Amino acid sequence: MVQDGGTARQNILDAASSLFAERGFEGARVDEIARRAGVNKAMLYYHVGNKQALYTAVLKRNVECLEKELLDSLGSQLSLAERFRLVISTIGSFLQSFPDHPRIMLREFASGGDRMEPVVIEGFVRILAMIRSLLEEGVRSGEFRATDPLMTHISVVGASLVLNAVQPLRSRVVAIGPTFEVPGEGVDVGAFLSDFLLHGLSTSSPGEKP
Amino acid sequence: MVQDGGTARQNILDAASSLFAERGFEGARVDEIARRAGVNKAMLYYHVGNKQALYTAVLKRNVECLEKELLDSLGSQLSLAERFRLVISTIGSFLQSFPDHPRIMLREFASGGDRMEPVVIEGFVRILAMIRSLLEEGVRSGEFRATDPLMTHISVVGASLVLNAVQPLRSRVVAIGPTFEVPGEGVDVGAFLSDFLLHGLSTSSPGEKP
DNA sequence: TAGAATACTAACCAACTGGTTAAACCAACC
DNA sequence: GGTTGGTTTAACCAGTTGGTTAGTATTCTA
């Protein structure tokens, strides 16, 4: 029997996604994924396959979604800086609608991409290439400093992922050491980050906020 | 019988650290930690305690070490920018001598700090406070833009952690999509990052490399 | 050197894990 | 009404896991 809100397969992927984010690949229990999806465990193996296939399916879905949204953003006829902001905010809103994704990716980075199958890596490589060409365009036009594009990209991704993933940890930090006030719940990570990065990349005089 | 290179406890912590980094808390098997430490499993429980205590011990050791090194760096009588660079490079060299640490921390961020006990969090809060006061000093003196200190800190940490942790993944990415050449093995992450960040923070005209 | 404290080991265990299976359900089509 | 094909289930299984135990060796100390 198909559960509320989608096909059995979708429910399974949703449940798997949140559990992989919470506990990691090893920590997530197949039984619990099935239970949370409102599905018998055997159904899960019937519809998706084993644990690894489940993991790959979750990642593939996320990457394909991000890629689609980025292609839209990059197709626009805007100035470089505007497109850059748009890309950052696209990534930002993606990470907010897929809050499991940054957490899964952080773990993946930590383990050296052990569990990432080629299908998934290929998707990431395409996304990487998009942003790389954006950075290179900026360097050619003289708007951006000539930084190592891969390092820059990784920095941006790292900052985004951690900024997004770290949200739940903040309250615990604040609880222990009230050295830091909590910024308002709805802190605009994207706006912060694109300001932060543009100031870091720009060769034009800072001080003015574009 | 104490193993080569240190006390049994140290060997156990070393083995645990590398396995927690490789596989995460759930993925790391106590038997393998013991085997890699050259120690009987019961010895591990005798010397350190259960798996959670082992994990806490590893993190505590790392944090205490970083804190000590940062205190040295911040005690120096240098200009703000120089101290900032020194702090970044201190963190950089710490992350290189404790390559397990960024990987463990990324997982910890991903899981919302589930496994981090107060002793450990307190250490991080102290470190956070140090760097926060450095940023605030910069804002007061007019050298740094007034950014949200916690967000800035998290960005810096995120970028550092991911830059360091992602090293092994790079080769796989390059193998699949040769869009990116591998930067020379010994890329100076610290130098890259402090340039990147100072340009992002500075209100003085960029272009000149301080 | 007696004996107490510490350091160490092999073997064991109950609980759990990913994965399978054989049988049942159920709509649609003949 | 029967049968076919996709879907669903409870029960099961072999291998693994964190943790323990009962007993042995080594070192310290009085």
Side-chain angles (χ1 to χ4, degrees):
Chain A
M1 184 247 289
V2 165
Q3 279 292 110
D4 50 315
T7 68
R9 192 186 148 92
Q10 270 173 333
N11 287 335
I12 292 170
L13 290 192
D14 289 343
S17 174
S18 66
L19 262 163
F20 284 139
E22 280 174 38
R23 317 253 170 89
F25 183 86
E26 320 268 356
R29 302 302 166 200
V30 178
D31 291 85
E32 193 174 352
I33 293 176
R35 184 157 42 81
R36 208 179 275 194
V39 153
N40 185 287
K41 183 167 60 156
M43 276 306 303
L44 185 153
Y45 282 92
Y46 174 77
H47 276 294
V48 187
N50 62 14
K51 200 182 184 184
Q52 174 64 50
L54 195 54
Y55 188 71
T56 300
V58 168
L59 249 62
K60 190 155 167 278
R61 185 176 63 161
N62 289 3
V63 174
E64 278 167 1
C65 176
L66 175 58
E67 191 181 0
K68 202 174 297 175
E69 291 184 17
L70 277 181
L71 278 173
D72 289 351
S73 294
L74 286 172
S76 60
Q77 292 288 48
L78 295 168
S79 76
L80 181 66
E82 286 302 320
R83 260 180 298 152
F84 189 79
R85 273 180 196 280
L86 189 57
V87 163
I88 300 278
S89 78
T90 300
I91 294 178
S93 63
F94 166 79
L95 292 181
Q96 274 189 348
S97 32
F98 291 75
D100 299 331
H101 186 73
R103 305 170 69 182
I104 296 177
M105 285 310 298
L106 285 184
R107 291 183 207 271
E108 208 51 58
F109 284 147
S111 63
D114 268 355
R115 305 271 175 197
M116 280 208 306
E117 292 181 8
V119 219
V120 176
I121 298 201
E122 281 157 19
F124 282 116
V125 167
R126 285 195 298 274
I127 292 174
L128 237 65
M130 286 192 229
I131 294 183
R132 181 213 175 120
S133 71
L134 197 66
L135 290 173
E136 281 176 342
E137 188 185 330
V139 172
R140 273 200 307 278
S141 75
E143 287 179 76
F144 290 164
R145 291 197 298 130
T147 52
D148 179 326
L150 185 53
M151 299 278 278
T152 303
H153 186 100
I154 295 175
S155 305
V156 175
V157 170
S160 311
L161 288 180
V162 174
L163 274 172
N164 278 280
V166 92
Q167 213 88 346
L169 184 58
R170 264 196 225 171
S171 50
R172 290 194 63 200
V173 169
V174 174
I176 287 200
T179 323
F180 295 87
E181 63 280 8
V182 228
E185 266 307 306
V187 160
D188 188 348
V189 171
F192 167 82
L193 206 57
S194 46
D195 272 348
F196 193 70
L197 295 172
L198 280 178
H199 278 269
L201 289 167
S202 174
T203 53
S204 70
S205 167
E208 44 101 13
K209 258 191 184 173
Chain B
M1 184 248 289
V2 165
Q3 280 291 111
D4 49 315
T7 69
R9 193 185 146 90
Q10 270 173 333
N11 286 335
I12 292 172
L13 289 193
D14 289 344
S17 174
S18 67
L19 263 164
F20 283 139
E22 278 174 39
R23 316 251 170 90
F25 182 86
E26 320 269 356
R29 303 301 165 200
V30 177
D31 290 86
E32 194 174 351
I33 294 175
R35 183 156 43 78
R36 208 180 275 194
V39 152
N40 184 288
K41 183 167 60 154
M43 274 310 300
L44 185 153
Y45 282 90
Y46 174 78
H47 276 295
V48 187
N50 64 12
K51 201 182 183 184
Q52 174 63 52
L54 195 53
Y55 187 71
T56 301
V58 167
L59 249 61
K60 189 154 168 277
R61 185 176 63 162
N62 289 4
V63 174
E64 278 167 0
C65 176
L66 175 58
E67 192 181 357
K68 201 174 296 175
E69 290 183 17
L70 277 181
L71 278 173
D72 288 350
S73 293
L74 286 172
S76 60
Q77 293 287 47
L78 296 168
S79 77
L80 181 66
E82 286 302 320
R83 261 179 298 150
F84 189 79
R85 273 181 195 280
L86 189 56
V87 163
I88 300 280
S89 78
T90 300
I91 294 178
S93 64
F94 166 79
L95 292 179
Q96 275 189 346
S97 32
F98 291 75
D100 299 331
H101 185 73
R103 305 171 69 183
I104 296 177
M105 285 311 298
L106 285 184
R107 290 183 208 269
E108 208 51 56
F109 283 147
S111 62
D114 268 357
R115 305 270 175 197
M116 281 208 307
E117 293 182 9
V119 217
V120 176
I121 299 201
E122 281 157 20
F124 281 116
V125 167
R126 284 195 298 274
I127 293 174
L128 237 65
M130 286 191 228
I131 295 183
R132 183 215 174 117
S133 71
L134 196 65
L135 289 174
E136 280 176 343
E137 186 185 333
V139 172
R140 273 200 306 278
S141 75
E143 286 179 76
F144 290 165
R145 291 196 299 130
T147 52
D148 179 325
L150 185 53
M151 299 278 278
T152 304
H153 186 101
I154 296 175
S155 305
V156 175
V157 170
S160 311
L161 288 179
V162 174
L163 275 171
N164 278 278
V166 91
Q167 214 88 346
L169 184 59
R170 266 195 224 170
S171 50
R172 289 194 62 201
V173 170
V174 174
I176 287 201
T179 323
F180 295 87
E181 62 282 7
V182 228
E185 266 307 306
V187 159
D188 188 346
V189 170
F192 168 82
L193 207 55
S194 46
D195 270 348
F196 194 69
L197 295 172
L198 279 178
H199 278 269
L201 289 167
S202 176
T203 53
S204 69
S205 166
E208 43 104 12
K209 260 190 184 173

